[in-house]
Amino acid sequence: MARSGTGVLILAAGKGTRMKSDTPKVLLPLLEEPLLYYPLVSTDSPDFSGRGVVVGHGSDKVSDYLEKSWPGSEVIEQKQQLGTGHAVAAARKWIGRFDHVLIIPGDVPLLGRETLSMLHSRHLEGDEDCTFLVFEPDDPSGYGRVIHTEKGFRIVEEKDAMEHEKKCGRVNGGIYAFRTTVLLEHIDSLGKDNAQGEYYLTDVIHDLCQEGKKIRMLLCPDPEEIEGVNDPQQLDVMSRRLRKRILAKHMSCGVKCVDSESVWVGPGVRLGEDVMLDPFVQLWGDTYLGKGSRIGSFSIVRNSIIGENVHLLGHVVLNDSEIQNDARVGPFSFIREGSVLREGAYVGKFVEVKKSVIGKRSKVPHLSYVGDATLGEDVNIGAGTITCNYDGVKKNPSVIGDGCFVGSDTMLVAPVTLGEGAYTAAGSVITRDVPPGSLAIGRARQKNIEGWSARPKGPKEEGE
Ligand code: UD1
Ligand code: CA
């Protein structure tokens, strides 16, 4: 097959020993997305003709994630993790399909699309054999130091470095562009005579310098961008940094925060103009908020679509659902998977809604459970109403037509249908369908026993 274009190879096979976790490092969550999500997003660009991910440690789980969420990526297995050079060698066949390859680690979440595109274009414009990113962090420990030699430079890992080499503040970012013919000529001849007994990809750079190949080093102006995540402390630092960056971007597009220090917004969340976020709000996953909506304090929203001018009044938990324009929710509501609140609907205090549609302008103001139900327009659900949807075996539907008035404390024993404009009396247990326009009363008739307080009484018993 003829070579063409540039491929991106993400190295994600390492164990991440310092994390001390059973979860493969690249699947550890950072703002509720796996670490690997970040390089996948930043390399999701038409500039690249293909993307491969080298997996190894926990490869089943990592491959599952890739297949499910990033079907365009090719999975390359590195059976044993013998170093970054070994990981690249495992992908030699895949690399051979391209003229150039960008190699990036799976654990540098802040690496931006612009930086990668800069690296790529400088590499091509300069017709380089290798271009790689370096940076000058406040604390260089843990990184490979870039040491100048007669013929160029070599990269010395922390564990192999002599004391004077450790003082060098310029370090390798682990992000490279290679001409594939040149890379493939050298990748199989790496040695492992070093402190970790690993095949280091960085040794290729030294070999290329020795041969007088064209190598360029680019200084990344923002060192935070290429910092890796290797232990729980770094994960925590990264999480705060990323949070700040994400919010700054949204605020520059018109999102307002009462206290941005306490708000958390995940990387995949999209926010319309003039969205207002109260203190202690969390927005995660694939969530969208339309213009002018406001999210009240202590609300947590995941994978949901919120229209324009929606108000979550606080303490709302909203998962995998849709809230259409002008609807109001809360405080203290739980809206679960597969629910839709249509325009102008209201779900209020201590109400749980699951897999249900609440029609336009319909109200469930307090203390209700609405599950597997379809409510039409302008329905009013009285306090304490419950859809008894589960018979111990299966979940059954309730259908409540337009304009129905469900009296307080009604038990709707599903499957059941209330026709358009039907009423139920407060405290009813509704087991049969109610025809349109009728009133259903399903409760014991009240009996008053007169003179009850004056009845003969025995001696009062002790106690409470
Ligand atoms: C590497 C560089 C170092 C650089 C640093 C920047 C080498 C030898 N060192 O060190 O110069 O300063 O990155 O962050 O390359 N991986 C595999 N298979 C393996 C080993 C690693 O896929 O057998 C993957 C890891 O999952 C990780 C990436 O390669 O995503 C980097 O490996 P890591 O062990 O973190 O390298 P560093 O010690 O950080
Ligand atoms: Ca690393």
Side-chain angles (χ1 to χ4, degrees):
M1 197 161 55
R3 294 173 194 274
S4 71
T6 300
V8 177
L9 186 66
I10 302 176
L11 307 184
K15 183 162 191 290
T17 316
R18 286 167 276 176
M19 285 294 181
K20 299 187 170 50
S21 170
D22 290 339
T23 306
K25 175 160 106 175
V26 289
L27 293 188
L28 287 173
L30 175 63
L31 301 197
E32 293 210 357
E33 300 294 344
L35 272 179
L36 189 54
Y37 165 95
Y38 297 90
L40 287 162
V41 168
S42 60
T43 56
D44 204 19
S45 149
D47 291 353
F48 307 123
S49 334
R51 182 163 53 189
V53 183
V54 180
V55 302
H57 184 75
S59 61
D60 289 354
K61 288 184 190 157
V62 182
S63 306
D64 279 355
Y65 168 68
L66 288 166
E67 269 160 36
K68 209 173 106 231
S69 306
W70 302 89
S73 304
E74 286 173 71
V75 174
I76 298 150
E77 179 117 16
Q78 182 196 16
K79 293 230 156 56
Q80 271 180 295
Q81 287 73 59
L82 304 178
T84 47
H86 184 258
V88 172
R92 61 171 83 70
K93 225 169 122 197
W94 182 86
I95 293 172
R97 298 189 345 215
F98 308 98
D99 289 324
H100 297 274
V101 64
L102 245 60
I103 299 179
I104 66 175
D107 63 351
V108 284
L110 294 187
L111 179 62
R113 208 180 270 260
E114 294 73 26
T115 304
L116 278 177
S117 143
M118 188 259 305
L119 171 72
H120 186 216
S121 55
R122 300 282 287 274
H123 176 74
L124 296 181
E125 281 158 24
D127 198 27
E128 310 288 342
D129 293 311
C130 170
T131 312
F132 69 106
L133 288 181
V134 297
F135 66 117
E136 291 171 352
D138 295 338
D139 175 13
S141 56
Y143 293 101
R145 312 296 206 279
V146 181
I147 308 290
H148 284 264
T149 64
E150 256 172 52
K151 290 192 168 166
F153 25 75
R154 65 195 172 92
I155 295 164
V156 182
E157 294 305 306
E158 168 104 12
K159 288 185 180 144
D160 301 297
M162 320 239 246
E163 279 315 309
H164 71 277
E165 289 172 326
K166 280 189 189 158
K167 293 205 178 83
C168 165
R170 179 163 286 197
V171 304
N172 171 29
I175 295 148
Y176 321 81
F178 281 100
R179 188 190 304 283
T180 57
T181 46
V182 172
L183 174 66
L184 294 174
E185 271 167 28
H186 291 85
I187 201 66
D188 290 317
S189 46
L190 294 175
K192 52 173 181 167
D193 183 16
N194 53 54
Q196 302 183 81
E198 287 186 355
Y199 298 96
Y200 290 166
L201 175 60
T202 44
D203 286 347
V204 172
I205 292 187
H206 180 239
D207 294 347
L208 298 187
C209 286
Q210 292 298 102
E211 290 177 18
K213 292 278 197 275
K214 277 191 84 180
I215 302 194
R216 170 183 255 179
M217 179 161 79
L218 288 180
L219 182 66
C220 186
D222 177 3
E224 287 189 354
E225 238 188 87
I226 43 184
E227 271 183 35
V229 178
N230 299 299
D231 57 39
Q233 284 79 5
Q234 284 172 346
L235 190 63
D236 173 52
V237 169
M238 203 56 83
S239 168
R240 289 155 200 274
R241 265 189 205 154
L242 191 57
R243 185 188 72 81
K244 268 203 160 125
R245 285 179 182 225
I246 291 171
L247 275 168
K249 219 157 89 192
H250 287 303
M251 289 191 280
S252 72
C253 297
V255 169
K256 325 273 185 302
C257 297
V258 174
D259 167 31
S260 71
E261 291 293 308
S262 65
V263 169
W264 291 81
V265 175
V269 173
R270 292 159 296 138
L271 302 177
E273 265 174 44
D274 217 14
V275 157
M276 180 86 175
L277 305 176
D278 286 349
F280 298 99
V281 160
Q282 299 178 40
L283 309 174
W284 301 116
D286 188 9
T287 285
Y288 172 79
L289 262 74
K291 201 173 158 188
S293 285
R294 174 168 185 177
I295 309 298
S297 289
F298 302 101
S299 294
I300 305 175
V301 179
R302 283 194 176 82
N303 302 320
S304 294
I305 299 172
I306 294 181
E308 296 184 1
N309 300 314
V310 168
H311 192 176
L312 306 195
L313 292 138
H315 293 276
V316 172
V317 176
L318 172 62
N319 294 333
D320 305 292
S321 291
E322 181 186 346
I323 313 290
Q324 298 183 354
N325 298 350
D326 305 308
R328 279 187 312 141
V329 185
F332 300 100
S333 318
F334 185 20
I335 313 285
R336 289 167 51 198
E337 70 278 6
S339 297
V340 180
L341 270 59
R342 297 214 195 281
E343 282 177 35
Y346 172 52
V347 166
K349 290 74 68 184
F350 306 100
V351 173
E352 176 176 347
V353 177
K354 185 213 75 172
K355 272 194 197 153
S356 293
V357 177
I358 312 293
K360 285 187 188 172
R361 297 173 302 278
S362 289
K363 296 185 181 68
V364 191
H366 10 234
L367 299 160
S368 289
Y369 172 61
V370 179
D372 304 294
T374 308
L375 275 61
E377 300 178 2
D378 300 301
V379 168
N380 197 315
I381 302 282
T385 295
I386 286 171
T387 53
C388 311
N389 61 329
Y390 186 46
D391 57 16
V393 180
K394 60 180 192 306
K395 307 285 166 67
N396 298 298
S398 302
V399 178
I400 303 174
D402 291 348
C404 280
F405 183 97
V406 175
S408 295
D409 202 24
T410 297
M411 300 293 121
L412 295 162
V413 182
V416 71
T417 298
L418 308 191
E420 208 173 296
Y423 280 62
T424 68
S428 289
V429 179
I430 304 296
T431 52
R432 285 185 293 135
D433 290 353
V434 182
S438 351
L439 167 67
I441 307 173
R443 64 185 183 211
R445 192 173 279 276
Q446 179 173 333
K447 183 174 161 190
N448 292 340
I449 302 174
E450 283 175 20
W452 182 255
S453 59
R455 73 195 183 283
K457 299 172 195 130
K460 259 197 180 156
E461 283 177 23
E462 288 299 314
E464 291 175 31

